[in-house]
Amino acid sequence: MKSTLLTLPGAVPAEGVDEGVAAHYGDLFREQRALADGTGFVDLSHRGVVAVTGDDRLTWLHLLLTQHVSELPTGEATEALILSAHGHIEHALYLVDDGTTTWAHVEPGTQEALIAYLESMKFFYQVEVTDRTDDFAIVHLPAGSIAEVPEGVVVRETAYGRDLFLPRADLESYAEKAGPAAGILAHEALRVEQHRPRLGFETDHRTIPHELGWIGTAVHLQKGCYRGQETVARVQNLGKPPRRLVFLHLDGSEVHLPTPGTEIHLADEGPDGRKIGFITTSVRHHELGPVALALVKRNVALDARLVAGDTAAAQEAVVEP
């Protein structure tokens, strides 16, 4: 989906997965500061929107998702995963139920595969799954925002702000009232600061929830009966995940950020040493400077000096070893 807000002054289109919305509107750090101060909004209208209706929707979703949703209160936000049979993360859903419909927004372009899986699991349950991406645009208001929400708009509210399921036809008119626009790069910088993983960025084909700290926020340990639950229980009760998510402070003297996939080595061994991890997301933060999220091997010491490519890095644990 190509956003109509790309016509706003200064808009520079994003690339890659986030193609379709603005990377920034001319001043990355100003946009970050505005979001941190609780002003402005982020156009996330490229994200997929999926709606599930029917009397059995929450009971049915409860059987498929890693989260406990059978009694999800109306208006309460949650997040959940869908795992493979081996416990690897396949989908991440950001959910809210409005009393008649369960709404989810998902990573751009993943909604079709998600819906195909959900359709295959309907059986005798009274549910309908619909792709509403063409009809609704996700707009993010940062925590502390006092921007008005139009009447009737479904809102998913968390500690990080509010996600609006806004009718796509209203996107331009709402942008005129919601304050200064911030691009996806500003949103990503704050996400990295908050240590929040993102599907397709912090995940690969073998990522399990424990590695990213998604236990508790997206995985409920007191429920079972979902695909991949055996792996979650085994790691929780008997072992440790092979990798862990870390937050990296990068050498600010470097001109270029290490790109996703850049190998991480122990500084004492240098770039020719053994690979102990890789960068997943790197950003320039308005206060912290260049920072990143990365996956490293579980047994890497917390005080180990690291190097990402040619860039020195110091780690903070997100998932404890």
Side-chain angles (χ1 to χ4, degrees), residues 60-198:
W60 175 67
L61 286 169
H62 184 79
L63 298 174
L64 304 177
L65 304 180
T66 56
Q67 188 58 274
H68 196 300
V69 297
S70 61
E71 300 172 359
L72 183 65
T74 299
E76 181 174 307
T78 192
E79 55 189 84
L81 308 174
I82 289 177
L83 307 181
S84 73
H86 298 292
H88 301 138
I89 299 169
E90 293 189 343
H91 294 282
L93 295 80
Y94 299 84
L95 300 158
V96 67
D97 190 271
D98 66 5
T100 61
T101 303
T102 302
W103 297 86
H105 65 79
V106 298
E107 287 297 326
T110 65
Q111 65 270 21
E112 291 185 4
L114 171 62
I115 290 172
Y117 170 69
L118 294 177
E119 286 286 350
S120 73
M121 301 298 291
K122 284 172 66 171
F123 303 117
F124 57 84
Y125 289 93
Q126 300 300 307
V127 293
E128 293 294 333
V129 183
T130 310
D131 185 348
R132 302 303 304 274
T133 308
D134 288 344
D135 305 314
F136 289 88
I138 303 300
V139 172
H140 176 76
L141 301 178
S145 171
I146 59 173
E148 182 179 350
V149 177
E151 185 176 355
V153 168
V154 175
V155 178
R156 181 181 178 275
E157 184 166 5
T158 71
Y160 305 108
R162 290 175 289 170
D163 297 334
L164 279 55
F165 291 77
L166 187 75
R168 192 171 289 274
D170 298 339
L171 182 58
E172 288 185 79
S173 60
Y174 184 74
E176 295 175 358
K177 309 171 186 176
I184 192 71
L185 292 182
H187 187 261
E188 283 289 281
L190 299 188
R191 177 182 72 82
V192 170
E193 177 194 12
Q194 295 155 356
H195 303 169
R196 291 189 290 133
R198 183 176 171 189

Side-chain angles (χ1 to χ4, degrees), residues 198-319:
R198 183 176 171 189
L199 183 78
F201 287 64
E202 279 60 60
T203 67
D204 58 21
H205 67 283
R206 60 191 180 96
T207 306
I208 60 175
H210 284 83
E211 294 178 321
L212 302 185
W214 251 325
I215 301 298
T217 60
V219 178
H220 194 288
L221 292 175
Q222 302 306 313
K223 72 174 291 275
C225 301
Y226 58 88
R227 190 174 67 176
Q229 186 267 340
E230 295 84 357
T231 298
V232 171
R234 184 168 61 251
V235 174
Q236 181 69 20
N237 296 322
L238 301 176
K240 298 292 183 181
R243 304 177 297 182
R244 59 185 178 86
L245 186 67
V246 296
F247 177 75
L248 298 181
H249 293 271
L250 303 172
D251 181 359
S253 65
E254 296 289 340
V255 175
H256 300 290
L257 289 172
T259 57
T262 299
E263 292 188 358
I264 297 174
H265 302 265
L266 296 173
D268 294 342
E269 297 181 3
D272 295 327
R274 60 193 174 94
K275 175 184 174 182
I276 54 95
F278 59 93
I279 296 290
T280 59
T281 305
S282 59
V283 298
R284 296 191 185 278
H285 190 276
H286 70 287
E287 290 183 341
L288 301 175
V291 292
L293 292 175
L295 277 173
V296 300
K297 292 183 177 180
R298 181 186 73 240
N299 58 1
V300 174
L302 290 172
D303 60 353
R305 295 185 303 115
L306 307 179
V307 58
D310 297 324
T311 303
Q315 63 169 309
E316 292 181 15
V318 177
V319 175

